[in-house]
Amino acid sequence: MTENINQNPEQIARDKIDEMLREAGWLVQSKKKVDLSAGKGVAVREYQTDVGPADYVLFLNRKPVGIIEAKREDEGHRLTVVEEQSSNYANAKLKYLNNDPLPFVYESTGTITRFTDYRDPKPRGRNVFSFHKPETIAEWLKKGKSLRERLLSIPALDETGLRPAQIVAVNNLEHSFKKNRPKALIQMATGAGKTFTAATFVYRLLKHADAKRILFLVDTKNLGEQAEQEFMTFQPNDDNRKFTELYNVQRLSSSYIASDSQVCISTIQRLYSILKGEELDESAELDNPNENSWLQNKMSKNKAVPVEYTPKVPIEQFDFIVIDEAHRSIYNLWKQVLDYFDAFLIGLTATPDKRTFGFFNENVVSQYTYEESVTDGVNVPYDVYTIETEISQKGETIKAGWFVDRRDKLTRKKRWQQEDEDTEYKRNDLDKKVVNPSQIRNIIREYKKALKTTIYPNRIDENGDYEVPKTLVFAKTDSHADDIIKIIREEFDEGNDFCKKVTYKIEEDPKSVLNRFRNSYYPRIAVTVDMIATGTDVKPLEVLLFMRDVKSINYFEQMKGRGTRTINSDSLQLVTKTAKTKTHFVIVDAVGATKSKKTDSRPLERKKSVPMKDLLGAITMGVADEDLFLSLANRLIRLEKQITEKEKDRLLEFSGGKNLKQITKELITAFDQDEIETKAKIEIDKIPVQDQTPALIEEAKKEAQEQLILEASKTFNGELNGYLDNVRKQHEQIIDSVNIDTVTKSEWETTSVDKATEIVKDFTEYLEDNKEEIKALSIFYNQPYNRRDITFKMIKDVMEKLQLEKPLLAPDYVWNAYATLEDVKSKQPKDELTALVSLIRRACGIDSELKAYDKTIENNFKTWIFKQNAGQHNRFTKEQLDWLRMIKDHIVSSYHIEIDDLDYTPFDAKGGKGKMHQLFGNQMNEIINELNEVLAA
């Protein structure tokens, strides 16, 4: 649409408004040529009312439904002041009609548009991208009450099956909806069930507020698939059918949005491409777009391609948009996608930054931090174990004259070469320029040793073998991951199944490997570069081994989140037989990731050198920017001179037969004015000369350029991008097999020692605080002579109270804390209650060191027997000794024995109370009392 330079500002605004109305499906008519039958929705200009002419009156099926008050562009800042004027028109009587007040009211400059639905409980204007379609307004009227009014009647939440933090989140969010707050943020720790919470409120909005369609927005395909799974398994409390049996859930894999879908799951990249009328290659959905430095750089300079009105996807397409991982990809270029829709926005994130709070108008409806989730037992805490090696810290030098392997990064083919000069490499060059197998080997070897001696020492199976806990290793690159896997298999003396790679680039289906890692015994160790760094549940995970550093605090928190998930003991033991309970997880830090400086989020100001991968990603996203096309063309011209003939042939397989010269030419041509004019002229020449207006010529040029841009950009796809990105990287790595590494540090991080001190202190204080209230504790602390009376039930009571009030102080975890602080010689008892008694005895000072209580009973029994025999020269017969051992075993498992216990297993099979009386006569009661007292000493 071209503007006439002679038009006044009011007229320019009207032309823009007319265009917007037509795009949204309204017929625009002047008051002199009114024909209300011409279509479903008609907008009549300058319609007379009893308070003067309204700029536009909207008619739906011949009946008036709304008005538009038009203002010139420079009055955009005054639109809220204009609301009174537009409201007067809406409440006026229209000429010839005895109408009720009109509910739908807009104020617009053609650039800024505001909208108020006067059917709302407290009508409040809001900015909208454009006008709503006539069909939508018809639907709204048919439903009677407005969405904001329907929200007021959502019934109270049935809290069954929901965690306290989820209940708070849903209730507060619905309260925010009822107050008509357009944006809300739910901050919920990773592992606390964000998607389940979302499925809960989405179900309630569909059922109780009659929401038409809800969008669940993610920024990677992987997160979209997970959300789809969550909706498929979600079953509401008030219905015995699954969510997907009640509502249609569609995960978008093209630009088609089904008219009958009530929940759409999409990446923000795909939605952006849909609003620009383009298809998107699925490879553009694999990476989080917030990581693309070219897009970040461009967006910081405000060169983002603007989103335009798309009739196929109107602004009212969604009533609500749920934004997963809302701290990431909703700013700059992507913010327009959210600004486009007239919808409530709900953010979900574990790690918000300042921008996130700002974007959601600081309306944080619930905050549930990782620390709170740990205190509640929803997540588990972590300890840090550090491994450092000489070369990891300082690097090394490959000397001239040495013979070393040089390895091709892509084919991994090696060649043997004598070095001409010294090559010094620093820690940051490792696994990029230089690979030192000894450095990787020493970390893995030390990890294996530390597992058995310190990290999880009690993991010996029935065959006497050590069972490795489920471990996830974060590697720098695919090549690095391959090196790690090879060495892990060797060092652990295991086969292929033991350790697997889980990334998007593996030959096996990554989902299948991930599922096995999650639910089966093998693999015990998985190595990943990108895929399960964020948003993927693997509940049995007990160790995260960092072999790559991370600079973004949010990304680091997300990676840590992989280990925080709780899991019940039975499920854990299905995949790790020797594990009792998951009380914590361990970060093994081999690169200083827990200590390195982290930034709040990615900086927007970047140096000019943008990675090739990011340029390719931006083109695949459909960004049509001259800088981008020319930057990429320059890189490809350089690349064409560097690559081999063989590599050029291979490239044709991915590019649809186009060589680099052709691809480069198309990129340059797309912004070459001469080429654009030549192409446009072919179309213009088909039109009679008298009809060739300047506007038409401009339109032809625009179309010609769009075709050239499309032609150039559609060549790029996931496979071609991957090939171009890899083939241009430094081809070879030096394999330094000469410099042997040594471990310089292998210990719990001081924070873990501090944490252990804190745990022991908490446990001791908890026992002290409850010693009057809990009978068993009262005896331990105040009446040591009555310890013989402590029963199994009393200890169980302590355990149950502890689990309820302080789930973090599980015996397993407290035992490990003591083991971190002092030399614990005893192995932890298999039975949790026995471990608890051992810990209570240590905490209240009965034992000066932590000892397994079952072993204490054994030792006390031996001492007692020895004394009996020494005093009276083998006082007991063999049969009597067998009975005494049975009593001792009973006290090991039940802490106490009563005369009546002799009528039950295992005593009843040996003759019970009668038999004991026969063996010990009148000494029977005395011996039972004595054993209760002596063994509990």
Side-chain angles (χ1 to χ4, degrees):
M1 185 187 72
T2 54
E3 288 171 10
N4 186 330
I5 50 171
N6 299 321
Q7 285 184 317
N8 62 33
E10 281 82 2
Q11 197 49 54
I12 291 170
R14 298 289 174 100
D15 285 354
K16 282 185 178 170
I17 291 168
D18 287 357
E19 180 70 16
M20 285 164 68
L21 282 164
R22 288 191 193 99
E23 283 181 330
W26 295 89
L27 296 173
V28 182
Q29 298 178 352
S30 73
K31 62 178 177 183
K32 293 175 185 156
K33 295 183 180 173
V34 174
D35 176 6
L36 295 183
S37 304
K40 188 173 188 122
V42 175
V44 182
R45 290 199 207 99
E46 302 294 338
Y47 197 100
Q48 195 61 44
T49 76
D50 60 7
V51 293
D55 292 333
Y56 295 81
V57 173
L58 300 176
F59 288 86
L60 179 75
N61 297 329
R62 303 177 59 82
K63 292 190 175 65
V65 290
I67 73 122
I68 301 170
E69 177 63 25
K71 291 290 173 202
R72 52 200 241 186
E73 185 164 4
D74 60 8
E75 292 205 334
H77 65 288
R78 289 188 62 251
L79 284 189
T80 47
V81 182
V82 176
E83 283 165 354
E84 193 167 336
Q85 191 182 347
S86 48
S87 169
N88 287 340
Y89 285 124
N91 285 297
K93 291 288 181 211
L94 301 180
K95 193 175 181 184
Y96 312 121
L97 299 170
N98 183 23
N99 57 293
D100 292 328
L102 308 182
F104 306 113
V105 177
Y106 298 88
E107 298 88 28
S108 181
T109 65
T111 306
I112 302 288
T113 303
R114 286 182 64 78
F115 167 67
T116 309
D117 183 342
Y118 279 93
R119 302 172 308 152
D120 287 345
K122 286 183 182 174
R124 186 193 304 150
R126 59 186 186 263
N127 279 26
V128 287
F129 187 88
S130 185
F131 299 107
H132 303 95
K133 293 174 84 125
E135 293 79 1
T136 305
I137 286 179
E139 265 178 55
W140 288 352
L141 289 169
K142 196 171 156 195
K143 284 189 173 177
K145 291 179 178 177
S146 75
L147 174 64
R148 282 154 183 76
E149 190 178 349
R150 299 198 299 274
L151 285 168
L152 293 180
S153 54
I154 291 184
L157 175 67
D158 175 359
E159 298 175 359
T160 316
L162 291 171
R163 293 170 177 162
Q166 294 171 329
I167 293 165
V168 169
V170 174
N171 281 334
N172 289 359
L173 177 66
E174 290 178 356
H175 183 68
S176 172
F177 289 153
K178 289 173 183 181
K179 297 271 186 244
N180 191 10
R181 294 289 185 89
K183 295 176 178 179
L185 181 66
I186 294 173
Q187 179 190 354
M188 196 177 268
T190 300
K194 289 194 295 294
T195 321
F196 184 84
T197 305
T200 304
F201 67 69
V202 164
Y203 168 73
R204 287 171 57 76
L205 289 170
L206 290 168
K207 179 168 182 176
H208 301 300
D210 194 15
K212 177 185 165 192
R213 188 181 290 115
I214 297 173
L215 173 67
F216 193 91
L217 199 60
V218 293
D219 61 12
T220 62
K221 185 176 173 219
N222 179 34
L223 285 177
E225 289 169 344
Q226 272 184 243
E228 187 178 30
Q229 281 303 313
E230 190 82 51
F231 279 107
M232 282 164 77
T233 54
F234 182 81
Q235 190 171 332
N237 284 336
D238 56 2
D239 203 303
N240 56 11
R241 289 167 293 177
K242 290 263 166 58
F243 186 96
T244 40
E245 293 173 60
L246 297 162
Y247 300 105
N248 292 324
V249 176
Q250 180 195 10
R251 186 167 64 79
L252 300 187
S253 55
S254 70
S255 59
Y256 168 69
I257 298 175
S259 58
D260 62 349
S261 63
Q262 281 114 337
V263 174
C264 279
I265 300 168
S266 173
T267 62
I268 197 156
Q269 301 91 299
R270 181 162 298 285
L271 215 56
Y272 176 65
S273 71
I274 289 172
L275 292 181
K276 285 171 57 233
E278 294 166 3
E279 282 298 339
L280 184 70
D281 189 278
E282 279 203 351
S283 63
E285 297 183 286
L286 296 179
D287 293 327
N288 160 8
N290 197 36
E291 302 281 317
N292 186 311
S293 60
W294 189 90
L295 291 173
Q296 288 280 13
N297 205 21
K298 281 292 142 195
M299 294 182 291
S300 68
K301 293 174 185 166
N302 296 318
K303 285 196 179 177
V305 182
V307 159
E308 289 178 1
Y309 185 81
T310 309
K312 257 189 1 180
V313 187
I315 62 166
E316 63 270 29
Q317 183 83 320
F318 306 107
D319 286 336
F320 297 86
I321 299 178
V322 184
I323 306 147
D324 196 19
E325 304 300 353
H327 60 279
R328 291 207 301 222
S329 310
I330 55 170
Y331 314 105
N332 311 313
L333 172 69
W334 315 109
K335 182 176 178 290
Q336 318 173 67
V337 173
L338 299 172
D339 289 345
Y340 176 85
F341 293 105
D342 179 25
F344 284 95
L345 303 182
I346 307 109
L348 305 176
T349 177
T351 52
D353 55 22
K354 289 173 195 154
R355 290 188 307 171
T356 320
F357 290 123
F359 180 87
F360 287 96
N361 304 340
E362 295 176 56
N363 183 25
V364 185
V365 293
S366 79
Q367 273 180 301
Y368 188 58
T369 62
Y370 170 63
E371 287 69 28
E372 287 173 301
S373 73
V374 165
T375 306
D376 292 349
V378 168
N379 278 327
V380 297
Y382 66 91
D383 294 323
V384 179
Y385 190 88
T386 303
I387 297 174
E388 283 178 10
T389 74
E390 191 72 31
I391 292 175
S392 303
Q393 293 299 304
K394 298 176 183 166
E396 250 303 353
T397 302
I398 298 161
K399 299 277 194 250
W402 284 1
F403 282 93
V404 294
D405 276 329
R406 284 182 171 257
R407 181 174 72 189
D408 185 285
K409 272 190 174 178
L410 282 179
T411 64
R412 296 182 78 78
K413 186 180 168 188
K414 288 183 187 173
R415 63 187 181 84
W416 186 243
Q417 173 181 306
Q418 187 173 21
E419 294 297 294
D420 298 331
E421 56 186 356
D422 286 2
T423 303
E424 189 183 333
Y425 60 91
K426 298 272 186 284
R427 55 185 294 176
N428 289 346
D429 298 324
L430 278 166
D431 310 301
K432 293 168 189 164
K433 185 167 91 178
V434 177
V435 175
N436 182 311
S438 176
Q439 181 254 351
I440 299 173
R441 189 174 300 284
N442 272 276
I443 289 170
I444 299 305
R445 192 174 280 174
E446 188 56 36
Y447 171 54
K448 180 186 175 185
K449 186 174 137 194
L451 268 182
K452 294 180 178 181
T453 56
T454 314
I455 299 176
Y456 286 107
N458 303 314
R459 293 296 175 86
I460 308 298
D461 65 19
E462 63 272 16
N463 304 320
D465 295 326
Y466 184 82
E467 184 180 49
V468 176
K470 289 271 183 179
T471 301
L472 179 63
V473 184
F474 292 115
K476 295 174 191 171
T477 61
D478 266 279
S479 176
H480 186 213
D482 288 336
D483 291 332
I484 292 170
I485 288 166
K486 185 171 143 292
I487 289 171
I488 284 176
R489 289 170 181 171
E490 285 171 18
E491 286 300 318
F492 281 87
D493 309 310
E494 291 287 356
N496 295 351
D497 287 344
F498 178 81
C499 179
K500 290 271 186 193
K501 180 154 68 164
V502 189
T503 72
Y504 292 114
K505 293 174 184 158
I506 58 173
E507 298 306 314
E508 287 179 80
D509 172 22
K511 282 203 209 99
S512 136
V513 178
L514 188 55
N515 265 330
R516 295 206 299 278
F517 187 47
R518 191 184 280 133
N519 303 315
S520 306
Y521 189 77
Y522 288 116
R524 300 307 302 164
I525 301 180
V527 183
T528 189
V529 180
D530 47 18
M531 185 171 156
I532 43 180
T534 61
T536 306
D537 265 358
V538 182
K539 289 179 177 171
L541 254 184
E542 293 185 89
V543 183
L544 301 180
L545 171 52
F546 277 83
M547 291 184 75
R548 66 170 280 198
D549 197 3
V550 192
K551 291 289 182 271
S552 151
I553 183 76
N554 280 342
Y555 195 46
F556 183 61
E557 290 300 322
Q558 293 282 327
M559 288 161 90
K560 276 189 346 199
R562 298 316 98 226
T564 62
R565 303 293 204 269
T566 51
I567 181 171
N568 65 49
S569 301
D570 293 345
S571 304
L572 177 60
Q573 281 156 12
L574 286 175
V575 294
T576 305
K577 302 191 212 54
T578 58
K580 285 200 270 301
T581 49
K582 183 174 172 181
T583 51
H584 67 297
F585 72 100
V586 176
I587 289 176
V588 178
D589 187 355
V591 287
T594 54
K595 296 194 203 79
S596 65
K597 195 168 168 19
K598 307 271 185 276
T599 54
D600 204 15
S601 59
R602 280 183 159 270
L604 289 178
E605 283 309 310
R606 297 196 151 262
K607 51 185 188 297
K608 290 223 167 63
S609 153
V610 174
M612 173 86 125
K613 180 180 181 226
D614 292 353
L615 295 176
L616 293 164
I619 284 252
T620 313
M621 275 303 311
V623 178
D625 179 285
E626 187 170 3
D627 279 4
L628 170 65
F629 275 53
L630 297 183
S631 300
L632 185 55
N634 278 330
R635 298 281 181 96
L636 296 182
I637 289 166
R638 287 210 304 272
L639 180 64
E640 214 270 335
K641 292 173 183 151
Q642 294 166 350
I643 64 174
T644 63
E645 289 305 318
K646 202 170 170 185
E647 286 166 340
K648 287 178 185 174
D649 290 343
R650 183 102 170 88
L651 183 135
L652 299 175
E653 294 173 29
F654 305 122
S655 65
K658 291 180 187 175
N659 62 29
L660 275 179
K661 282 187 173 142
Q662 198 177 341
I663 295 170
T664 307
K665 185 169 184 278
E666 285 178 356
L667 287 168
I668 295 167
T669 302
F671 288 91
D672 181 330
Q673 289 310 312
D674 292 341
E675 287 285 348
I676 293 166
E677 282 178 20
T678 305
K679 193 171 172 64
K681 192 170 185 311
I682 297 167
E683 294 306 311
I684 294 163
D685 287 348
K686 294 176 184 172
I687 300 163
V689 177
Q690 64 271 24
D691 296 336
Q692 292 178 12
T693 61
L696 210 129
I697 291 167
E698 273 311 304
E699 191 59 38
K701 280 188 195 170
K702 189 178 162 200
E703 274 180 28
Q705 180 167 26
E706 279 172 6
Q707 280 175 6
L708 289 168
I709 286 171
L710 183 64
E711 186 59 36
S713 58
K714 73 180 185 191
T715 309
F716 296 92
N717 56 59
E719 283 191 318
L720 176 64
N721 294 358
Y723 187 74
L724 288 172
D725 187 35
N726 280 311
V727 80
R728 61 161 286 285
K729 285 179 180 164
Q730 183 184 352
H731 277 41
E732 288 187 321
Q733 294 172 315
I734 303 171
I735 310 293
D736 177 6
S737 303
V738 184
N739 287 306
I740 299 301
D741 205 0
T742 49
V743 173
T744 53
K745 186 177 183 184
S746 176
E747 62 190 28
W748 287 114
E749 190 48 54
T750 48
T751 51
S752 296
V753 175
D754 296 344
K755 202 184 281 183
T757 310
E758 196 64 32
I759 289 161
V760 167
K761 182 168 164 272
D762 281 358
F763 181 72
T764 310
E765 282 176 1
Y766 180 79
L767 298 185
E768 285 273 0
D769 293 348
N770 287 277
K771 67 183 183 190
E772 304 307 328
E773 195 186 324
I774 304 175
K775 196 170 176 192
L777 294 182
S778 167
I779 291 170
F780 273 119
Y781 276 90
N782 306 329
Q783 310 151 9
Y785 52 88
N786 282 336
R787 287 208 301 273
R788 62 186 175 201
D789 296 331
I790 289 177
T791 63
F792 178 77
K793 188 184 176 305
M794 285 182 192
I795 298 298
K796 215 160 182 289
D797 288 347
V798 180
M799 186 70 171
E800 280 168 8
K801 190 170 165 65
L802 195 63
Q803 282 171 333
L804 191 69
E805 295 176 2
K806 290 275 186 180
L808 249 192
L809 298 176
D812 193 26
Y813 199 46
V814 179
W815 189 286
N816 285 340
Y818 269 107
T820 302
L821 299 175
E822 55 189 56
D823 183 16
V824 177
K825 296 183 183 74
S826 273
K827 245 185 164 180
Q828 188 181 332
K830 285 198 166 68
D831 179 67
E832 266 198 315
L833 294 175
T834 308
L836 180 59
V837 175
S838 316
L839 290 163
I840 294 170
R841 287 171 64 97
R842 171 73 187 88
C844 67
I846 294 167
D847 295 334
S848 58
E849 61 181 66
L850 183 57
K851 291 189 288 201
Y853 183 55
D854 48 353
K855 297 291 181 287
T856 302
I857 291 175
E858 291 281 358
N859 291 337
N860 290 349
F861 180 71
K862 277 180 196 160
T863 309
W864 182 75
I865 289 287
F866 180 74
K867 276 185 185 165
Q868 301 298 319
N869 287 342
Q872 297 178 23
H873 300 291
N874 296 345
R875 177 182 170 191
F876 299 119
T877 66
K878 184 179 179 304
E879 199 175 1
Q880 284 178 317
L881 270 174
D882 287 344
W883 264 85
L884 293 173
R885 282 196 193 96
M886 273 200 296
I887 291 170
K888 179 263 297 177
D889 290 342
H890 181 82
I891 292 175
V892 165
S893 59
S894 304
Y895 315 111
H896 178 81
I897 189 163
E898 300 274 350
I899 289 282
D900 290 347
D901 291 338
L902 299 173
D903 291 334
Y904 301 100
T905 312
F907 307 103
D908 55 348
K910 303 277 185 185
K913 209 185 291 179
K915 180 66 178 173
M916 184 161 179
H917 193 270
Q918 188 186 330
L919 284 173
F920 293 94
N922 295 335
Q923 286 185 308
M924 179 169 98
N925 284 17
E926 189 189 318
I927 280 177
I928 281 179
N929 288 339
E930 198 173 329
L931 280 175
N932 270 328
E933 191 166 337
V934 168
L935 299 188

